[in-house]
Amino acid sequence: MTGMKANRRFTVRTVVPEEIGALSRLATNLRWSWHLPTRRLFESLDPKLWDEVRHDPLAMLAAITREQLLALAADPAVVAGVAEAARSLDQYLNEPRWYQGLGTDAPAAIAYFSPEFGITEVLPQYSGGLGILAGDHLKSASDLGVPLIGVGLLYQAGYFKQSLSKDAWQQETYPLLDPDSLPLTLLREDDGTPVRISLPLPDGRVLLANVWRADVGRVPLLLLDSNVAENDDAARGVTDRLYGGGGDHRLAQELLLGMGGVKALRAYARLTGTPAPEVFHTNEGHAGFLGIERIRELMDASVTERPLSFGEALAAGRASTVFTTHTPVPAGIDRFPRSMIEHFFAGELAPGVPVAEILALGAENYDGGNPDVFNMAVMGLRLAQRANGVAKLHGVVSREMFAGLWQGFDHDDVPITSVTNGVHVPTWVDPALAELAREKFGADVLNGPDWSKVYDVSDADVWALRRRLRTALVEDARARLRASWKKRGAADAQLAWTDAALDPDVLTIGFARRVPTYKRLTLMLRDPARLKALLLHPEHPIQIIIAGKSHPADDAGKKMIQDLVQFTDDPEVRHRIVFLPNYDIAMARTLFPGCDVWLNNPLRPLEACGTSGMKAAINGSLNLSVMDGWWDELYDGENGWAIPTANQGTSEKERDDIESAALYELLETQVAPRFYGDLVSAGAGAAGPSQPSGDGLPSHWISMIKHTLAHLGPAVSAGRMVSEYVQRLYQPAAEAGRAARADGYAATKEFAAWTEKVRAEWGGLHIEHVDSHGISDEPQIGETIQVRANVNLGGLSPDDVSVQVAYGRVGDSDELSDTRILTLDGVSELGEGRFQFTADLVIDRSGSFGYGVKVLPRHAAMANSAELGLIATA
Ligand SMILES: *Cc1c(COP(=O)(O)O)cnc(C)c1O
């Protein structure tokens, strides 16, 4: 490195004249990123400059000249436009919305923790699906009026920018961000000094952090930033980049996110007078230490008047915590050496909280677990009374994946539910589509359930819009392709072909996502000759636009990108298949709407949910996907195509062979003919792709577009997702939290003591005998039998347990299906701790019928009878 480096940098913010002073506020509230009129307003100030600053309002205000600003301030039309935008923002921020109709006992505030947030390309603090989802969650919460507060880290370099070398190897750069030039506000004490979060590290070191606030509509997002002068170099670097490094660095990031995040929330509430969060929602294991910080608070005599014991603090914290797991890939879960956790907590990080208890929370003390490892997801599940996966299938997979924590339970009974992800419609619907919808049906049609209005749009209008979106994508892709080739060393003279790369009338297939191996970027290359034939088909050609970043440490992913790009470099096909470097939100917003088909071919069931296909769907693209993630529950035969999956147990190679062959087959015999179908008969057999002529519209395809918009629109919207979180998880968690806090934590203390007793006594409990009484020789539907279970409760009482009979159909190997549960609530004492439990069971179906008896702990403070992981079966 040569030349002098600035050791201090700052950005001078423009002083905007008073007449148009609201522009500053409009530029810092990120509502502009999904509110088209606000974006249009900034664009109208200077369209050329708007493109130069890459559609970043704050950069626009920094770049615009003083003279220009004065001229704008003197223009009544501009002044009126700014005033109108400011009025609209104020109304949006203050008016009652959906949540305000829920009543006064809805949670006063909810904290949402995530290691990444993808809100706009202007704030590149995301790497992929998890971040985009978190951004969409915040935006939809804002739209619904949910009092959410986001908590994350501010990375100096965010995620890397991707380019390609001449030989198609991924190159990474990490441009540094200057927080002063981002839409952020530093959180300050009343005296103006920055709020400082402080975490004591081992060896007497301290990790300090600033807190920045981003305004996502109505939702504040707090981002902790360790790049402060008082930190030593290592501490300064803790938030250097997203998922950077490993070991200590990663652990320090997660401690700052979880524990520092709670401290930041406390400072925010103190300084703004806003209510403390009643619910803590932690996304993936990364933020799990928030639970330790809350336990620390509850055990600390300087924070609470009557400090709780560890067990009580754990119970109180769990009641109001929601944990969402986002990956079905065990390798995707954070694990640290146990010794590292021990080392960090040996000091003053969580004084008063026993280190052995912390270690126990992350221990893999189940079959197949590793005793030397501290597992963040396992801790997340133990610290949260409510947990969920992110699609129905992912719920099933998660219940299986974490079944070790619930030994003795059927997988179906593992207490992890699911809330299917969604996407923020105003962010991801193309402006052209939004405008068409607004013109025809009024402003709010895409915010409500009324997507079925699309059936009132003519086929010709739909098809014209699709072509417009495809054309915009082709133009954007050509520009990116040219730029990429120049980076790879090509001269302009060699690049004339890029002007004609891709064709706005050819069936366009999109594939863009991160490049871990399970997503199988290169499945389409399995049979290169077959792919080539599809691309170059004389009547039904397809074109494919591909993008995605590989994790910097993942050479297998980079090799896949290289293989793919080298295929696309072939002059014979390079006009029909392109790889666009640096997939990000900006690219995505043109890519999803412009594709006719969105391709997704992960190894089932490794895609937790996937959201890019949802973003394509709300723009009228049809999905062509393996039955994984959200598609497994929302594919209905008319909204796209399902790529069949090979049987479980097939080797990986065979799977790829079978599934790629199925993909080619679908493209060739279903997808392409349907796209061109009606057109081919209308076009007079001209060479090259068939052109629409007359009214030869592909009516079946267009009906699939309408069906997709009408049915998937409401189902995949993040509004649906956030309202589900509120009703199914946040509200019950807040209620449980309130019950736990009431009367000086009276119920918590009782529950914690009870839990301890039940855990200690459970080993002494056993079912001695089960029988049924009154069963006839040839039982018939409607007959009643009495089920009786004699249970030795050891030191427990009948009130402590629920004795249940599970009954239903019996399979060949005695397993029950279509199971129902009946509680044996008749109790009689048999002496010496033994009790008989009884209930009358009505046989309600024919065929093989069976039942089994189980005993579970029972307490009003439990959200689920499986939550303690205790069960006894006959
Ligand atoms: C939607 C989106 C993702 C996530 O896509 P998946 O289908 O969940 O893999 C990643 N990156 C960007 C830029 C996105 O817009």
Side-chain angles (χ1 to χ4, degrees), residues 126-130 132 423 428 512-514 519 583-586 588 592 598 600 607 609-613 615:
Y126 62 93
S127 73
L130 180 63
I132 306 276
V423 297
W428 296 108
R513 44 186 57 86
R514 290 179 304 109
K519 299 212 186 210
Y583 180 43
D584 70 353
I585 291 179
F592 301 133
W598 194 252
N600 186 29
E607 181 89 310
C609 177
T611 53
S612 54
K615 291 178 261 180

PDB file of all heavy atoms in Angstrom, residues 126-130 132 423 428 512-514 519 583-586 588 592 598 600 607 609-613 615, ligand 1:
ATOM      1  N   TYR A 126     -25.991  -7.315   3.882  1.00  0.00           N
ATOM      2  CA  TYR A 126     -26.639  -8.609   3.723  1.00  0.00           C
ATOM      3  C   TYR A 126     -25.812  -9.463   2.779  1.00  0.00           C
ATOM      4  O   TYR A 126     -25.065  -8.953   1.955  1.00  0.00           O
ATOM      5  CB  TYR A 126     -28.047  -8.443   3.139  1.00  0.00           C
ATOM      6  CG  TYR A 126     -28.029  -7.819   1.762  1.00  0.00           C
ATOM      7  CD1 TYR A 126     -28.008  -8.614   0.614  1.00  0.00           C
ATOM      8  CD2 TYR A 126     -27.973  -6.436   1.604  1.00  0.00           C
ATOM      9  CE1 TYR A 126     -27.955  -8.047  -0.652  1.00  0.00           C
ATOM     10  CE2 TYR A 126     -27.910  -5.866   0.348  1.00  0.00           C
ATOM     11  CZ  TYR A 126     -27.901  -6.676  -0.777  1.00  0.00           C
ATOM     12  OH  TYR A 126     -27.826  -6.108  -2.019  1.00  0.00           O
ATOM     13  N   SER A 127     -25.954 -10.792   2.913  1.00  0.00           N
ATOM     14  CA  SER A 127     -25.279 -11.671   1.964  1.00  0.00           C
ATOM     15  C   SER A 127     -26.272 -12.470   1.140  1.00  0.00           C
ATOM     16  O   SER A 127     -25.976 -12.890   0.041  1.00  0.00           O
ATOM     17  CB  SER A 127     -24.336 -12.634   2.691  1.00  0.00           C
ATOM     18  OG  SER A 127     -25.078 -13.631   3.372  1.00  0.00           O
ATOM     19  N   GLY A 128     -27.456 -12.698   1.663  1.00  0.00           N
ATOM     20  CA  GLY A 128     -28.402 -13.509   0.901  1.00  0.00           C
ATOM     21  C   GLY A 128     -29.769 -13.534   1.541  1.00  0.00           C
ATOM     22  O   GLY A 128     -30.197 -12.549   2.156  1.00  0.00           O
ATOM     23  N   GLY A 129     -30.408 -14.693   1.426  1.00  0.00           N
ATOM     24  CA  GLY A 129     -31.809 -14.825   1.798  1.00  0.00           C
ATOM     25  C   GLY A 129     -32.150 -14.351   3.201  1.00  0.00           C
ATOM     26  O   GLY A 129     -33.163 -13.676   3.397  1.00  0.00           O
ATOM     27  N   LEU A 130     -31.321 -14.699   4.194  1.00  0.00           N
ATOM     28  CA  LEU A 130     -31.636 -14.330   5.571  1.00  0.00           C
ATOM     29  C   LEU A 130     -31.734 -12.809   5.721  1.00  0.00           C
ATOM     30  O   LEU A 130     -32.638 -12.284   6.368  1.00  0.00           O
ATOM     31  CB  LEU A 130     -30.571 -14.892   6.528  1.00  0.00           C
ATOM     32  CG  LEU A 130     -30.769 -14.590   8.012  1.00  0.00           C
ATOM     33  CD1 LEU A 130     -32.044 -15.223   8.539  1.00  0.00           C
ATOM     34  CD2 LEU A 130     -29.567 -15.068   8.830  1.00  0.00           C
ATOM     35  N   ILE A 132     -32.219 -10.499   3.267  1.00  0.00           N
ATOM     36  CA  ILE A 132     -33.332  -9.931   2.500  1.00  0.00           C
ATOM     37  C   ILE A 132     -34.637 -10.170   3.268  1.00  0.00           C
ATOM     38  O   ILE A 132     -35.499  -9.290   3.353  1.00  0.00           O
ATOM     39  CB  ILE A 132     -33.432 -10.593   1.112  1.00  0.00           C
ATOM     40  CG1 ILE A 132     -32.098 -10.514   0.379  1.00  0.00           C
ATOM     41  CG2 ILE A 132     -34.578  -9.996   0.313  1.00  0.00           C
ATOM     42  CD1 ILE A 132     -31.816  -9.262  -0.346  1.00  0.00           C
ATOM     43  N   VAL A 423     -42.449 -12.104   0.997  1.00  0.00           N
ATOM     44  CA  VAL A 423     -41.634 -11.021   0.428  1.00  0.00           C
ATOM     45  C   VAL A 423     -42.418  -9.711   0.467  1.00  0.00           C
ATOM     46  O   VAL A 423     -43.644  -9.704   0.347  1.00  0.00           O
ATOM     47  CB  VAL A 423     -41.196 -11.356  -1.014  1.00  0.00           C
ATOM     48  CG1 VAL A 423     -40.315 -12.599  -1.014  1.00  0.00           C
ATOM     49  CG2 VAL A 423     -42.386 -11.558  -1.945  1.00  0.00           C
ATOM     50  N   TRP A 428     -40.677  -5.387  -4.166  1.00  0.00           N
ATOM     51  CA  TRP A 428     -40.290  -6.349  -5.202  1.00  0.00           C
ATOM     52  C   TRP A 428     -41.192  -6.370  -6.425  1.00  0.00           C
ATOM     53  O   TRP A 428     -40.875  -7.033  -7.415  1.00  0.00           O
ATOM     54  CB  TRP A 428     -40.184  -7.751  -4.591  1.00  0.00           C
ATOM     55  CG  TRP A 428     -39.087  -7.819  -3.571  1.00  0.00           C
ATOM     56  CD1 TRP A 428     -39.223  -7.902  -2.220  1.00  0.00           C
ATOM     57  CD2 TRP A 428     -37.674  -7.766  -3.820  1.00  0.00           C
ATOM     58  NE1 TRP A 428     -37.989  -7.910  -1.611  1.00  0.00           N
ATOM     59  CE2 TRP A 428     -37.019  -7.830  -2.575  1.00  0.00           C
ATOM     60  CE3 TRP A 428     -36.889  -7.664  -4.985  1.00  0.00           C
ATOM     61  CZ2 TRP A 428     -35.627  -7.801  -2.443  1.00  0.00           C
ATOM     62  CZ3 TRP A 428     -35.509  -7.633  -4.858  1.00  0.00           C
ATOM     63  CH2 TRP A 428     -34.891  -7.707  -3.604  1.00  0.00           C
ATOM     64  N   ALA A 512     -30.809 -17.109  -9.949  1.00  0.00           N
ATOM     65  CA  ALA A 512     -29.876 -16.279  -9.181  1.00  0.00           C
ATOM     66  C   ALA A 512     -30.051 -16.563  -7.709  1.00  0.00           C
ATOM     67  O   ALA A 512     -31.170 -16.558  -7.206  1.00  0.00           O
ATOM     68  CB  ALA A 512     -30.130 -14.793  -9.465  1.00  0.00           C
ATOM     69  N   ARG A 513     -28.969 -16.817  -7.059  1.00  0.00           N
ATOM     70  CA  ARG A 513     -28.975 -17.089  -5.618  1.00  0.00           C
ATOM     71  C   ARG A 513     -27.533 -17.290  -5.179  1.00  0.00           C
ATOM     72  O   ARG A 513     -26.632 -17.344  -6.011  1.00  0.00           O
ATOM     73  CB  ARG A 513     -29.817 -18.322  -5.307  1.00  0.00           C
ATOM     74  CG  ARG A 513     -29.595 -19.503  -6.249  1.00  0.00           C
ATOM     75  CD  ARG A 513     -30.576 -20.635  -5.964  1.00  0.00           C
ATOM     76  NE  ARG A 513     -31.959 -20.210  -6.059  1.00  0.00           N
ATOM     77  CZ  ARG A 513     -32.673 -20.178  -7.188  1.00  0.00           C
ATOM     78  NH1 ARG A 513     -32.132 -20.558  -8.319  1.00  0.00           N
ATOM     79  NH2 ARG A 513     -33.919 -19.757  -7.185  1.00  0.00           N
ATOM     80  N   ARG A 514     -27.313 -17.360  -3.877  1.00  0.00           N
ATOM     81  CA  ARG A 514     -25.983 -17.711  -3.399  1.00  0.00           C
ATOM     82  C   ARG A 514     -25.608 -19.063  -4.002  1.00  0.00           C
ATOM     83  O   ARG A 514     -26.458 -19.795  -4.504  1.00  0.00           O
ATOM     84  CB  ARG A 514     -25.974 -17.820  -1.866  1.00  0.00           C
ATOM     85  CG  ARG A 514     -26.138 -16.492  -1.125  1.00  0.00           C
ATOM     86  CD  ARG A 514     -26.141 -16.702   0.389  1.00  0.00           C
ATOM     87  NE  ARG A 514     -27.154 -17.645   0.812  1.00  0.00           N
ATOM     88  CZ  ARG A 514     -26.911 -18.875   1.267  1.00  0.00           C
ATOM     89  NH1 ARG A 514     -25.664 -19.316   1.384  1.00  0.00           N
ATOM     90  NH2 ARG A 514     -27.898 -19.672   1.635  1.00  0.00           N
ATOM     91  N   LYS A 519     -27.463 -25.821  -3.743  1.00  0.00           N
ATOM     92  CA  LYS A 519     -28.366 -25.120  -4.670  1.00  0.00           C
ATOM     93  C   LYS A 519     -28.111 -25.513  -6.128  1.00  0.00           C
ATOM     94  O   LYS A 519     -28.860 -25.140  -7.017  1.00  0.00           O
ATOM     95  CB  LYS A 519     -28.267 -23.607  -4.485  1.00  0.00           C
ATOM     96  CG  LYS A 519     -28.670 -23.160  -3.070  1.00  0.00           C
ATOM     97  CD  LYS A 519     -29.317 -21.783  -3.075  1.00  0.00           C
ATOM     98  CE  LYS A 519     -29.579 -21.267  -1.669  1.00  0.00           C
ATOM     99  NZ  LYS A 519     -30.745 -20.374  -1.599  1.00  0.00           N
ATOM    100  N   TYR A 583     -24.446 -10.175  -7.984  1.00  0.00           N
ATOM    101  CA  TYR A 583     -25.871 -10.259  -7.664  1.00  0.00           C
ATOM    102  C   TYR A 583     -26.144  -9.454  -6.399  1.00  0.00           C
ATOM    103  O   TYR A 583     -25.525  -9.660  -5.369  1.00  0.00           O
ATOM    104  CB  TYR A 583     -26.216 -11.731  -7.436  1.00  0.00           C
ATOM    105  CG  TYR A 583     -27.659 -12.041  -7.091  1.00  0.00           C
ATOM    106  CD1 TYR A 583     -28.702 -11.414  -7.767  1.00  0.00           C
ATOM    107  CD2 TYR A 583     -27.972 -12.975  -6.115  1.00  0.00           C
ATOM    108  CE1 TYR A 583     -30.022 -11.728  -7.468  1.00  0.00           C
ATOM    109  CE2 TYR A 583     -29.290 -13.300  -5.817  1.00  0.00           C
ATOM    110  CZ  TYR A 583     -30.309 -12.653  -6.487  1.00  0.00           C
ATOM    111  OH  TYR A 583     -31.611 -12.970  -6.198  1.00  0.00           O
ATOM    112  N   ASP A 584     -27.074  -8.522  -6.486  1.00  0.00           N
ATOM    113  CA  ASP A 584     -27.484  -7.771  -5.295  1.00  0.00           C
ATOM    114  C   ASP A 584     -28.919  -7.293  -5.476  1.00  0.00           C
ATOM    115  O   ASP A 584     -29.568  -7.613  -6.476  1.00  0.00           O
ATOM    116  CB  ASP A 584     -26.524  -6.599  -5.007  1.00  0.00           C
ATOM    117  CG  ASP A 584     -26.627  -5.474  -6.037  1.00  0.00           C
ATOM    118  OD1 ASP A 584     -27.348  -5.640  -7.048  1.00  0.00           O
ATOM    119  OD2 ASP A 584     -25.991  -4.432  -5.827  1.00  0.00           O
ATOM    120  N   ILE A 585     -29.402  -6.514  -4.528  1.00  0.00           N
ATOM    121  CA  ILE A 585     -30.806  -6.089  -4.569  1.00  0.00           C
ATOM    122  C   ILE A 585     -31.093  -5.305  -5.849  1.00  0.00           C
ATOM    123  O   ILE A 585     -32.141  -5.473  -6.473  1.00  0.00           O
ATOM    124  CB  ILE A 585     -31.150  -5.242  -3.317  1.00  0.00           C
ATOM    125  CG1 ILE A 585     -31.134  -6.122  -2.064  1.00  0.00           C
ATOM    126  CG2 ILE A 585     -32.508  -4.577  -3.480  1.00  0.00           C
ATOM    127  CD1 ILE A 585     -31.427  -5.381  -0.765  1.00  0.00           C
ATOM    128  N   ALA A 586     -30.146  -4.468  -6.255  1.00  0.00           N
ATOM    129  CA  ALA A 586     -30.389  -3.634  -7.434  1.00  0.00           C
ATOM    130  C   ALA A 586     -30.594  -4.514  -8.664  1.00  0.00           C
ATOM    131  O   ALA A 586     -31.514  -4.299  -9.455  1.00  0.00           O
ATOM    132  CB  ALA A 586     -29.224  -2.665  -7.638  1.00  0.00           C
ATOM    133  N   ALA A 588     -31.443  -7.658  -8.658  1.00  0.00           N
ATOM    134  CA  ALA A 588     -32.614  -8.516  -8.441  1.00  0.00           C
ATOM    135  C   ALA A 588     -33.900  -7.829  -8.852  1.00  0.00           C
ATOM    136  O   ALA A 588     -34.811  -8.450  -9.388  1.00  0.00           O
ATOM    137  CB  ALA A 588     -32.677  -8.922  -6.962  1.00  0.00           C
ATOM    138  N   PHE A 592     -35.947 -10.365 -11.402  1.00  0.00           N
ATOM    139  CA  PHE A 592     -37.164 -11.156 -11.122  1.00  0.00           C
ATOM    140  C   PHE A 592     -38.297 -10.810 -12.087  1.00  0.00           C
ATOM    141  O   PHE A 592     -38.906 -11.710 -12.662  1.00  0.00           O
ATOM    142  CB  PHE A 592     -37.638 -10.978  -9.672  1.00  0.00           C
ATOM    143  CG  PHE A 592     -36.627 -11.378  -8.633  1.00  0.00           C
ATOM    144  CD1 PHE A 592     -36.354 -10.563  -7.549  1.00  0.00           C
ATOM    145  CD2 PHE A 592     -35.948 -12.578  -8.733  1.00  0.00           C
ATOM    146  CE1 PHE A 592     -35.421 -10.930  -6.589  1.00  0.00           C
ATOM    147  CE2 PHE A 592     -35.019 -12.960  -7.779  1.00  0.00           C
ATOM    148  CZ  PHE A 592     -34.750 -12.123  -6.700  1.00  0.00           C
ATOM    149  N   TRP A 598     -38.735 -18.720 -13.429  1.00  0.00           N
ATOM    150  CA  TRP A 598     -37.720 -18.679 -12.378  1.00  0.00           C
ATOM    151  C   TRP A 598     -37.359 -20.112 -12.005  1.00  0.00           C
ATOM    152  O   TRP A 598     -38.216 -20.890 -11.613  1.00  0.00           O
ATOM    153  CB  TRP A 598     -38.237 -17.916 -11.156  1.00  0.00           C
ATOM    154  CG  TRP A 598     -37.114 -17.581 -10.225  1.00  0.00           C
ATOM    155  CD1 TRP A 598     -36.868 -18.138  -9.017  1.00  0.00           C
ATOM    156  CD2 TRP A 598     -36.079 -16.627 -10.452  1.00  0.00           C
ATOM    157  NE1 TRP A 598     -35.724 -17.592  -8.479  1.00  0.00           N
ATOM    158  CE2 TRP A 598     -35.228 -16.664  -9.341  1.00  0.00           C
ATOM    159  CE3 TRP A 598     -35.777 -15.752 -11.504  1.00  0.00           C
ATOM    160  CZ2 TRP A 598     -34.085 -15.853  -9.234  1.00  0.00           C
ATOM    161  CZ3 TRP A 598     -34.643 -14.952 -11.398  1.00  0.00           C
ATOM    162  CH2 TRP A 598     -33.822 -15.009 -10.273  1.00  0.00           C
ATOM    163  N   ASN A 600     -35.324 -23.096 -10.002  1.00  0.00           N
ATOM    164  CA  ASN A 600     -34.765 -23.401  -8.686  1.00  0.00           C
ATOM    165  C   ASN A 600     -34.601 -24.913  -8.583  1.00  0.00           C
ATOM    166  O   ASN A 600     -35.576 -25.647  -8.684  1.00  0.00           O
ATOM    167  CB  ASN A 600     -35.738 -22.902  -7.600  1.00  0.00           C
ATOM    168  CG  ASN A 600     -35.175 -23.048  -6.199  1.00  0.00           C
ATOM    169  OD1 ASN A 600     -33.947 -22.991  -6.011  1.00  0.00           O
ATOM    170  ND2 ASN A 600     -36.022 -23.241  -5.213  1.00  0.00           N
ATOM    171  N   GLU A 607     -33.410 -26.594   0.935  1.00  0.00           N
ATOM    172  CA  GLU A 607     -33.804 -25.186   0.822  1.00  0.00           C
ATOM    173  C   GLU A 607     -34.842 -24.921   1.912  1.00  0.00           C
ATOM    174  O   GLU A 607     -35.932 -25.476   1.871  1.00  0.00           O
ATOM    175  CB  GLU A 607     -34.434 -24.955  -0.559  1.00  0.00           C
ATOM    176  CG  GLU A 607     -34.856 -23.542  -0.811  1.00  0.00           C
ATOM    177  CD  GLU A 607     -33.738 -22.711  -1.411  1.00  0.00           C
ATOM    178  OE1 GLU A 607     -32.616 -22.728  -0.879  1.00  0.00           O
ATOM    179  OE2 GLU A 607     -34.000 -22.071  -2.425  1.00  0.00           O
ATOM    180  N   CYS A 609     -36.671 -22.232   2.750  1.00  0.00           N
ATOM    181  CA  CYS A 609     -37.892 -21.693   2.148  1.00  0.00           C
ATOM    182  C   CYS A 609     -37.593 -21.250   0.733  1.00  0.00           C
ATOM    183  O   CYS A 609     -38.146 -21.735  -0.231  1.00  0.00           O
ATOM    184  CB  CYS A 609     -38.452 -20.521   2.966  1.00  0.00           C
ATOM    185  SG  CYS A 609     -39.916 -19.795   2.188  1.00  0.00           S
ATOM    186  N   GLY A 610     -36.605 -20.332   0.609  1.00  0.00           N
ATOM    187  CA  GLY A 610     -36.340 -19.723  -0.695  1.00  0.00           C
ATOM    188  C   GLY A 610     -37.340 -18.609  -0.876  1.00  0.00           C
ATOM    189  O   GLY A 610     -38.531 -18.783  -0.600  1.00  0.00           O
ATOM    190  N   THR A 611     -36.875 -17.447  -1.275  1.00  0.00           N
ATOM    191  CA  THR A 611     -37.825 -16.354  -1.481  1.00  0.00           C
ATOM    192  C   THR A 611     -37.718 -15.755  -2.866  1.00  0.00           C
ATOM    193  O   THR A 611     -38.596 -14.994  -3.268  1.00  0.00           O
ATOM    194  CB  THR A 611     -37.623 -15.230  -0.447  1.00  0.00           C
ATOM    195  OG1 THR A 611     -36.251 -14.836  -0.474  1.00  0.00           O
ATOM    196  CG2 THR A 611     -38.009 -15.676   0.950  1.00  0.00           C
ATOM    197  N   SER A 612     -36.654 -16.097  -3.601  1.00  0.00           N
ATOM    198  CA  SER A 612     -36.521 -15.427  -4.900  1.00  0.00           C
ATOM    199  C   SER A 612     -37.659 -15.831  -5.835  1.00  0.00           C
ATOM    200  O   SER A 612     -38.171 -15.000  -6.584  1.00  0.00           O
ATOM    201  CB  SER A 612     -35.156 -15.702  -5.523  1.00  0.00           C
ATOM    202  OG  SER A 612     -34.900 -17.080  -5.595  1.00  0.00           O
ATOM    203  N   GLY A 613     -38.087 -17.080  -5.744  1.00  0.00           N
ATOM    204  CA  GLY A 613     -39.209 -17.522  -6.577  1.00  0.00           C
ATOM    205  C   GLY A 613     -40.502 -16.776  -6.240  1.00  0.00           C
ATOM    206  O   GLY A 613     -41.355 -16.557  -7.095  1.00  0.00           O
ATOM    207  N   LYS A 615     -40.537 -13.650  -5.262  1.00  0.00           N
ATOM    208  CA  LYS A 615     -40.388 -12.321  -5.843  1.00  0.00           C
ATOM    209  C   LYS A 615     -40.654 -12.377  -7.342  1.00  0.00           C
ATOM    210  O   LYS A 615     -41.207 -11.445  -7.923  1.00  0.00           O
ATOM    211  CB  LYS A 615     -38.981 -11.783  -5.543  1.00  0.00           C
ATOM    212  CG  LYS A 615     -38.795 -11.480  -4.063  1.00  0.00           C
ATOM    213  CD  LYS A 615     -37.389 -10.983  -3.744  1.00  0.00           C
ATOM    214  CE  LYS A 615     -36.527 -12.082  -3.196  1.00  0.00           C
ATOM    215  NZ  LYS A 615     -35.159 -11.633  -2.878  1.00  0.00           N
TER     216      LYS A 615
HETATM  217  C1  LIG B   1     -34.299 -12.822  -2.659  1.00  0.00           C
HETATM  218  C2  LIG B   1     -32.844 -12.660  -2.686  1.00  0.00           C
HETATM  219  C3  LIG B   1     -32.012 -13.671  -2.174  1.00  0.00           C
HETATM  220  C4  LIG B   1     -32.560 -14.945  -1.580  1.00  0.00           C
HETATM  221  O1  LIG B   1     -32.961 -15.812  -2.572  1.00  0.00           O
HETATM  222  P1  LIG B   1     -33.266 -17.348  -2.266  1.00  0.00           P
HETATM  223  O2  LIG B   1     -34.220 -17.788  -3.281  1.00  0.00           O
HETATM  224  O3  LIG B   1     -33.865 -17.390  -0.905  1.00  0.00           O
HETATM  225  O4  LIG B   1     -31.974 -18.046  -2.329  1.00  0.00           O
HETATM  226  C5  LIG B   1     -30.649 -13.478  -2.211  1.00  0.00           C
HETATM  227  N1  LIG B   1     -30.108 -12.356  -2.730  1.00  0.00           N
HETATM  228  C6  LIG B   1     -30.877 -11.372  -3.243  1.00  0.00           C
HETATM  229  C7  LIG B   1     -30.229 -10.153  -3.796  1.00  0.00           C
HETATM  230  C8  LIG B   1     -32.267 -11.490  -3.237  1.00  0.00           C
HETATM  231  O5  LIG B   1     -33.019 -10.500  -3.721  1.00  0.00           O
END
